[in-house]
Amino acid sequence: MLASQKDFNNAVSQVKLLKEDPGNEVKLKLYALYKQATEGPCNVPKPGMLGFINKTKWDAWNALGSLSKEAARQNYVDLVSRLSASSESPSPEAPAADRKQPESDSLVVTSEDGITTIRLNRPAKKNALTTQMYRDIIAALQAASKDESAITVLTGSGDYYCSGNDLTNFTHLPAGGLEEMARSAAALLRDFVNCFIDFPKPLVAVVNGPAVGISVTILGLFDVVYATDRASFHTPFSHLGQSPEGCSSYTFPKIMGSSKAAEMLLFGKKLTAQEACAQGLVTEVFPDGTFQKEVWARLKAYSKLPPNAMRISKQIIRNREKEKLHAVNAEESSVLRERWQSDECMNAIASFLSRKVKL
Ligand SMILES: CCCCCCCCCCC/C=C/C(=O)SCCNC(=O)CCNC(=O)[C@H](O)C(C)(C)COP(=O)(O)OP(=O)(O)OC[C@H]1O[C@@H](n2cnc3c(N)ncnc32)[C@H](O)[C@@H]1OP(=O)(O)O
């Protein structure tokens, strides 16, 4: 569900309480989103060249094009909540030794040689993501964005990279029932994906085996994806009565063209590593026998490059897409919230859990 008028009004008040000046670029973004949320698409004439400040503000508003008032309101609320969170964080640098360790053993975070590695560590369950793991990954990414490492890596332990959402997440019904469960799952999903959209450093996926569901869709938000030739890429959303997330409804058609994206996202076509590389989802495929050695040697060399230059280059490459990605994430999460309450979805999960169906 998109942010309400009340959420928006709260965010407008919160901006005035920020402890740190967010800088001109962010203030311009806030201005543009505020205008779009309250007045809709830019509808006033472009100021002349002499009114430099007004022209800059007009350009920022106009750049939002036909973004709906609701999506602009949501993006404004998200931006303010990120600003509030970062202005409350105690220190800009969190050295690896001080890093808060994840709550569960299913995630292991290490920092070495300029690389922070976030490892999914639930091999007996093919690294399926529990609710706690989503939360731990959010915390790990937030810490990695501020630590001293140059590059951040996500990878898996064992023979799988990740089998996607742990389908038993949906079996623990809270007191508010299915509706409440879908609401909180959508909120968690949105926060999780937002962290990938906003991650400021080079983000690399080291895909050590098959990948399913959300672990595949978020690959479109990584900067580089290295895969073993044993990996496969599977998004069986229709089989599960669900719909795409991780911004894949936007990134996949952009990466591979709409018909190849449709075959994956609508029909659940599973790609081999070589196919995923040919489609542009994977950067490079390595033979399984030498995968770890080759990939880590390469990442160690890259981690010695000047970190600020890499951050700034990433910013240039990604920034103009960010608002769009936040809007896509909000929409996908809201659609899934409905899907999770559907019979199609509940039956599919029940079938998996009763061992009748394997994907
Ligand atoms: C309040 C609510 C919180 C909500 C949390 C946030 C929600 C965000 C959700 C975002 C939407 C995400 C969507 C997706 O990711 S869709 C994809 C979901 N994944 C699957 O459907 C994969 C299901 N698994 C399989 O089909 C097979 O297990 C697999 C092909 C992956 C492997 O088969 P294989 O035969 O090699 O191995 P096993 O099946 O024997 O697996 C070993 C054990 O691991 C368990 N397992 C594997 N995957 C999952 C999974 N995704 N969820 C739960 N459990 C999983 C499997 O059951 C085996 O367990 P046992 O040894 O106990 O039998």
Side-chain angles (χ1 to χ4, degrees):
M1 198 173 58
L2 290 170
S4 65
Q5 184 62 43
K6 192 168 160 217
D7 297 332
F8 179 69
N9 294 343
N10 286 341
V12 172
S13 314
Q14 234 178 314
V15 167
K16 296 173 191 141
L17 302 174
L18 287 176
K19 292 185 192 121
E20 284 168 26
D21 184 328
N24 286 342
E25 200 188 325
V26 174
K27 283 197 268 193
L28 201 56
K29 200 176 277 179
L30 285 168
Y31 166 83
L33 287 170
Y34 179 87
K35 293 292 276 185
Q36 192 89 2
T38 52
E39 297 178 35
C42 181
N43 56 0
V44 297
K46 186 173 184 167
M49 290 304 286
L50 291 178
F52 177 72
I53 293 179
N54 285 340
K55 185 178 164 299
T56 309
K57 287 162 94 178
W58 185 91
D59 283 341
W61 182 13
N62 191 47
L64 294 179
S66 58
L67 186 74
S68 70
K69 279 185 169 184
E70 292 73 23
R73 199 160 66 188
Q74 178 66 57
N75 291 356
Y76 185 95
V77 170
D78 286 344
L79 179 54
V80 173
S81 106
R82 291 196 297 279
L83 290 171
S84 305
S86 66
S87 80
E88 275 157 23
S89 57
S91 108
E93 289 284 313
D98 297 348
R99 184 187 300 285
K100 186 174 172 292
Q101 281 307 309
E103 295 287 324
S104 92
D105 297 340
S106 304
L107 200 73
V108 177
V109 185
T110 50
S111 258
E112 211 184 324
D113 293 326
I115 304 172
T116 291
T117 304
I118 303 173
R119 186 179 295 277
L120 309 174
N121 189 39
R122 224 184 148 215
K125 297 285 181 184
K126 311 292 181 195
N127 297 323
L129 298 169
T130 61
T131 308
Q132 188 58 49
M133 285 167 79
Y134 287 106
R135 296 201 187 102
D136 284 340
I137 293 170
I138 292 174
L141 286 173
Q142 284 168 346
S145 72
K146 295 179 203 132
D147 72 11
E148 284 161 357
S149 63
I151 292 179
T152 300
V153 170
L154 184 66
T155 190
S157 298
D159 62 341
Y160 255 68
Y161 174 65
C162 174
S163 62
N165 186 43
D166 188 311
L167 295 171
T168 66
N169 285 338
F170 293 119
T171 57
H172 316 295
L173 271 193
L178 191 55
E179 205 179 327
E180 170 56 20
M181 190 211 67
R183 190 203 60 74
S184 65
L188 181 58
L189 172 64
R190 218 176 72 208
D191 289 349
F192 178 76
V193 175
N194 275 342
C195 281
F196 287 87
I197 298 173
D198 290 329
F199 195 71
K201 299 177 181 180
L203 186 60
V204 179
V206 172
V207 184
N208 56 299
V212 185
I214 190 164
S215 70
V216 177
T217 56
I218 52 168
L219 292 177
L221 301 172
F222 281 68
D223 301 299
V224 164
V225 178
Y226 293 139
T228 156
D229 57 10
R230 244 185 354 92
S232 55
F233 298 83
H234 192 195
T235 49
F237 299 126
S238 298
H239 300 69
L240 291 165
Q242 299 186 31
S243 51
E245 21 61 359
C247 292
S248 58
S249 63
Y250 177 70
T251 57
F252 277 27
K254 262 191 99 175
I255 292 169
M256 58 185 83
S258 52
S259 69
K260 293 288 182 189
E263 221 181 357
M264 277 192 87
L265 297 174
L266 304 188
F267 300 145
K269 181 179 181 197
K270 191 195 285 187
L271 300 190
T272 62
Q274 294 296 355
E275 286 167 338
C277 191
Q279 301 306 340
L281 184 63
V282 165
T283 313
E284 193 169 334
V285 180
F286 297 80
D288 196 52
T290 54
F291 175 63
Q292 298 288 347
K293 195 165 160 232
E294 286 194 63
V295 163
W296 289 105
R298 196 180 287 192
L299 289 173
K300 274 181 197 164
Y302 290 159
S303 71
K304 307 232 165 11
L305 292 168
N308 291 336
M310 289 198 284
R311 260 177 187 263
I312 287 165
S313 299
K314 172 162 180 170
Q315 224 177 9
I316 298 174
I317 297 169
R318 296 270 172 184
N319 262 14
R320 68 182 72 87
E321 287 280 66
K322 265 194 187 177
E323 293 308 327
K324 175 72 186 173
L325 290 170
H326 283 298
V328 170
N329 182 27
E331 188 186 354
E332 288 177 347
S333 303
S334 149
V335 170
L336 264 174
R337 180 176 168 175
E338 300 304 320
R339 282 278 90 212
W340 286 326
Q341 296 176 69
S342 70
D343 287 346
E344 283 183 349
C345 179
M346 282 301 129
N347 292 339
I349 291 173
S351 293
F352 173 77
L353 297 175
S354 64
R355 301 290 182 267
K356 275 193 283 191
V357 173
K358 206 170 262 190
L359 295 165

